Amino acid sequence: MKRARGGTVSHRLSKSKYLAGLQCHKRLYLGIYSPELAGEIDEGTQARFDAGTDVGVLARQCYPGGVLVDVEYYKVADGLDRTAALLVDPSISVVYEGFLQFDNVLVRPDILVRVSGNRWRLIEVKSTAQAKDEHRDDLAIQAYVLTGAGLSLDATSLMHLNTGYVYPGGALDLAQLFHEADITSAVAARQPGIPARLAEMRRMLAAATPPPIEPDYHCQDPYECPFWQHCTREKPARWVFYLPGGRQTFQELVGLGIQSIDDIPAGHPLKLIQQRVKEDVEWVSPGLDAALDTVRFPVHHLDFETVAPTIPVYPGTHPYQTIPFQWSNHIESENGPLRHEAYLCMGSHDPREELAVALLKSVGQEGSICTYTNYERTVLTGLAEALPAQRWDLLAVIDRLWDLHAIIREHYYHPGFAGSFSIKAVLPAVMPQLAYDDLDIQEGTMAALQYSRMHLAATDDGERARIREALLKYCERDTLAMVELRKALRLRGNAGAGAAAASECEPAVRSSALFGVVSVILVPAPCRKADRTQAGRSGPEPPFSEGHGRIQTWRYPRRCLEGSEATHDMWPAGPRRASGGPVSQTRDLSYRRSKGELPL
């Protein structure tokens, strides 16, 4: 029942609203009176909600023969009547998603199991891999309502996924897939405080304005607040919340009355990365060149895309196991062109062995394998454990990994990083022309979602082809980013070299394909000078081929660049080696056309 703010009528609360109020009173207030201020639910978040729903439906099979109260959530009176009729019917042993209300709080228990007569067991189903503290609050408010509504509870249980269950294939063993824990005592311990919490929430909701609660780390614990953007809209661009260091650093600075990083006084004790963020200038370590020189040619640039099914779908896997389904590898030889190879599983089978065999062929046995963070190491370790026949070869690949993320953290900082060394922060700052905003898929969560949609949802051939293209372009961008970041860092390490115009090469075309993914490679022919200015990019441009692939590579031989330094603004855009060594340039055709660099 709603009423005007400042009135006296109590607003009906739900379980989710109660939990929102426990996290933050302002979140509850805005959720009731100003829901339009919430940020939109992105596809990744919606996918998690959907997965939770699927797990809840599957869990009902652990208690078969029940009756679902299939009533729309807003038809509360109908739901209450239907549930009341089921509860008094002795032939009904299990009720799913019933409606119960007490103290103007409405809850819908996942599963109610009749023990005998009016004695019931309450079961809450979660798609998580373990019990969390907020789950106890979830069950506590449900138990409060159920007992207040007249039910006698024998036990309250939490059912969640068991990551120790290894799916053997065939039918799922639900008794092993789910773990059910009796948490009656923990729930009972929270009961006495509920009436006071509800009264406090209602007093807050009776106010004419939302409570003056400042955004803090509580906005993301235990759930990300949908009103974050609204509540932080007036904070300074360099708000101290964004200073690395976490909750303690933030609260310490706010306690001193400091809101902007720029207002932190000189001499205030800061860690090294915090000091760099505060100074807000580009910084290059004297050891950057030496660190970059530790790479061994040919340099492979490797990125995986993975999916972690909530419910295992491949034999030999467990809930939430990371399954790689795609990789991209840009290969840079010391005196040759840049090559691109890729794999993407297009079938519904377990992709791991096929992916690993293709990868081992691509990376060979020589050269460093450049990655960004240790994620690829984790994926490779999982593959080695799962694939005995490829185990030792995969372990040898792990020994060749070379982490660009660690080198950047240690030797380089750009103000555009804003304290983050994620490739999604680093790339736009250093190589803005290779950002992700021109792609249909722009981050890994979306890649996993689209891959699942391609295989599990009812998609037609046209939609599958569109998703395939988007996945290939996204993963390719990740490895191309590492190639160009290495070059950009080399330029910064060699700062001071004179600028000179680039020379043009007549290209010849050849292609290389792996599992149907084709890269069009342009290799050098005899060089001729080009009258190309930095500002106008005038003069003849290398031709391009519509071809089969999406990648174009221009390589300028050493003799064209002796004694010169190519700059970011020279065509094609992006840094080149200042040392006079061979240079490769790779750009996505659709991206280049969108920037007006190639004809439509």
Side-chain angles (χ1 to χ4, degrees):
M1 183 184 301
K2 291 189 177 181
R3 51 93 183 102
R5 280 171 272 191
T8 59
V9 179
S10 176
H11 196 291
R12 177 190 289 133
L13 297 178
S14 64
K15 180 187 75 171
S16 60
K17 287 185 171 64
Y18 173 79
L19 294 175
L22 287 184
Q23 179 175 348
C24 176
H25 277 189
K26 189 174 183 180
R27 176 179 181 177
L28 173 59
Y29 191 99
L30 293 175
I32 289 177
Y33 295 120
S34 303
E36 72 280 359
L37 298 178
E40 293 185 5
I41 297 176
D42 60 48
E43 289 191 66
T45 301
Q46 186 60 54
R48 289 194 294 273
F49 292 159
D50 294 343
T53 300
D54 293 342
V55 169
V57 171
L58 185 62
R60 294 172 193 164
Q61 297 180 29
C62 296
Y63 294 92
V67 178
L68 172 66
V69 182
D70 192 11
V71 177
E72 298 289 348
Y73 73 93
Y74 56 87
K75 296 181 179 179
V76 175
D78 292 345
L80 290 170
D81 291 342
R82 174 65 175 146
T83 303
L86 295 173
L87 294 178
V88 298
D89 184 346
S91 68
I92 303 299
S93 60
V94 181
V95 178
Y96 312 129
E97 300 286 343
F99 285 65
L100 291 108
Q101 182 172 267
F102 171 71
D103 197 10
N104 216 12
V105 179
L106 177 72
V107 298
R108 299 193 63 183
D110 288 334
I111 302 174
L112 279 173
V113 180
R114 192 188 300 271
V115 177
S116 65
N118 192 38
R119 295 168 54 207
W120 298 84
R121 184 155 104 242
L122 168 64
I123 302 171
E124 175 68 13
V125 181
K126 297 296 182 184
S127 60
T128 57
Q130 60 185 4
K132 300 180 180 181
D133 192 59
E134 56 267 26
H135 297 161
R136 297 175 177 85
D137 287 319
D138 186 319
L139 273 164
I141 188 62
Q142 291 188 66
Y144 173 77
V145 171
L146 267 59
T147 54
L151 275 66
S152 176
L153 286 183
D154 267 25
T156 53
S157 298
L158 180 69
M159 182 184 289
H160 61 82
L161 293 170
N162 170 27
T163 55
Y165 168 65
V166 178
Y167 173 53
L172 290 164
D173 184 344
L174 298 182
Q176 295 297 319
L177 175 63
F178 289 102
H179 174 74
E180 185 176 335
D182 187 323
I183 59 171
T184 304
S185 297
V187 168
R190 298 180 186 224
Q191 295 291 303
I194 290 177
R197 292 192 183 97
L198 288 171
E200 187 179 2
M201 290 178 193
R202 286 168 176 146
R203 283 193 297 271
M204 177 271 301
L205 290 171
T209 58
I213 299 174
E214 283 291 300
D216 195 341
Y217 279 84
H218 76 273
C219 301
Q220 285 136 23
D221 183 18
Y223 308 107
E224 185 175 347
C225 178
F227 298 100
W228 173 259
Q229 293 298 327
H230 168 74
C231 292
T232 60
R233 68 194 184 283
E234 296 181 355
K235 294 300 180 183
R238 282 169 48 82
W239 184 28
V240 289
F241 183 87
Y242 302 122
L243 186 72
R247 187 189 301 260
Q248 182 176 349
T249 299
F250 173 74
Q251 291 178 340
E252 175 188 342
L253 293 171
V254 170
L256 295 173
I258 299 170
Q259 286 291 319
S260 173
I261 295 173
D262 297 321
D263 294 334
I264 299 174
H268 186 87
L270 295 173
K271 295 179 180 178
L272 182 59
I273 180 59
Q274 294 172 335
Q275 188 63 38
R276 296 210 178 111
V277 174
K278 179 183 183 300
E279 291 169 353
D280 204 29
V281 296
E282 187 176 24
W283 171 82
V284 180
S285 159
L288 176 59
D289 269 348
L292 293 172
D293 284 340
T294 61
V295 74
R296 292 177 291 115
F297 286 90
V299 185
H300 302 264
H301 302 78
L302 177 64
D303 179 67
F304 288 112
E305 298 304 328
T306 63
V307 65
T310 307
I311 305 297
V313 294
Y314 306 123
T317 64
H318 58 75
Y320 292 113
Q321 181 164 338
T322 298
I323 307 293
F325 61 83
Q326 179 181 13
W327 55 255
S328 173
N329 179 20
H330 273 90
I331 308 160
E332 182 186 11
S333 57
E334 193 163 17
N335 294 295
L338 183 70
R339 293 187 294 116
H340 177 242
E341 297 177 347
Y343 168 89
L344 171 61
C345 180
M346 291 301 296
S348 58
H349 58 279
D350 184 343
R352 290 176 295 173
E353 184 173 2
E354 185 177 274
L355 174 145
V357 169
L359 176 66
L360 291 171
K361 179 180 178 181
S362 181
V363 300
Q365 298 180 352
E366 295 182 353
S368 298
I369 300 174
C370 176
T371 63
Y372 204 87
T373 75
N374 278 325
Y375 187 68
E376 275 61 40
R377 180 183 296 273
T378 301
V379 172
L380 287 164
T381 301
L383 287 172
E385 293 172 354
L387 304 171
Q390 289 78 35
R391 174 179 173 81
W392 295 109
D393 289 336
L394 289 167
L395 291 176
V397 169
I398 292 174
D399 288 340
R400 294 161 55 196
L401 296 182
W402 187 86
D403 186 4
L404 181 60
H405 173 265
I407 287 177
I408 293 178
R409 281 192 67 95
E410 185 71 21
H411 297 286
Y412 180 70
Y413 184 77
H414 189 287
F417 295 179
S420 171
F421 288 90
S422 160
I423 197 167
K424 299 303 187 295
V426 170
L427 189 62
V430 180
M431 299 291 298
Q433 67 270 38
L434 282 180
Y436 293 80
D437 53 3
D438 64 309
L439 301 179
D440 290 336
I441 295 174
Q442 300 180 5
E443 46 88 25
T445 300
M446 185 55 59
L449 176 60
Q450 291 295 324
Y451 177 77
S452 298
R453 180 174 294 162
M454 183 170 66
H455 291 302
L456 304 179
T459 53
D460 57 29
D461 290 345
E463 179 69 4
R464 284 169 57 83
R466 185 197 67 77
I467 294 174
R468 174 185 179 277
E469 179 75 3
L471 285 169
L472 290 172
K473 289 174 66 176
Y474 169 69
C475 195
E476 178 185 302
R477 182 67 57 87
D478 273 343
T479 53
L480 178 59
M482 288 186 276
V483 175
E484 299 300 343
L485 282 173
R486 283 182 49 242
K487 293 178 183 178
L489 292 171
R490 178 66 72 183
L491 282 177
R492 283 156 172 78
N494 287 340
S503 299
E504 182 184 342
C505 301
E506 291 181 354
V509 180
R510 72 181 184 187
S511 64
S512 127
L514 180 66
F515 288 89
V517 182
V518 182
S519 292
V520 179
I521 308 298
L522 299 181
V523 295
C527 180
R528 69 174 183 269
K529 297 293 183 180
D531 180 19
R532 181 173 297 133
T533 65
Q534 177 173 326
R537 295 190 175 98
S538 62
E541 297 182 349
F544 67 93
S545 167
E546 292 292 347
H548 300 286
R550 303 298 297 174
I551 292 297
Q552 298 288 317
T553 303
W554 287 270
R555 176 178 175 272
Y556 296 84
R558 181 184 302 273
R559 65 180 179 278
C560 295
L561 295 177
E562 288 177 353
S564 69
E565 176 188 67
T567 69
H568 287 275
D569 295 319
M570 289 181 179
W571 192 98
R576 301 182 180 84
R577 222 181 261 176
S579 62
V583 176
S584 298
Q585 279 300 312
T586 303
R587 296 296 306 271
D588 179 83
L589 283 179
S590 61
Y591 175 75
R592 303 224 30 187
R593 291 193 184 99
S594 73
K595 298 300 182 185
E597 296 177 357
L598 292 176
L600 296 173

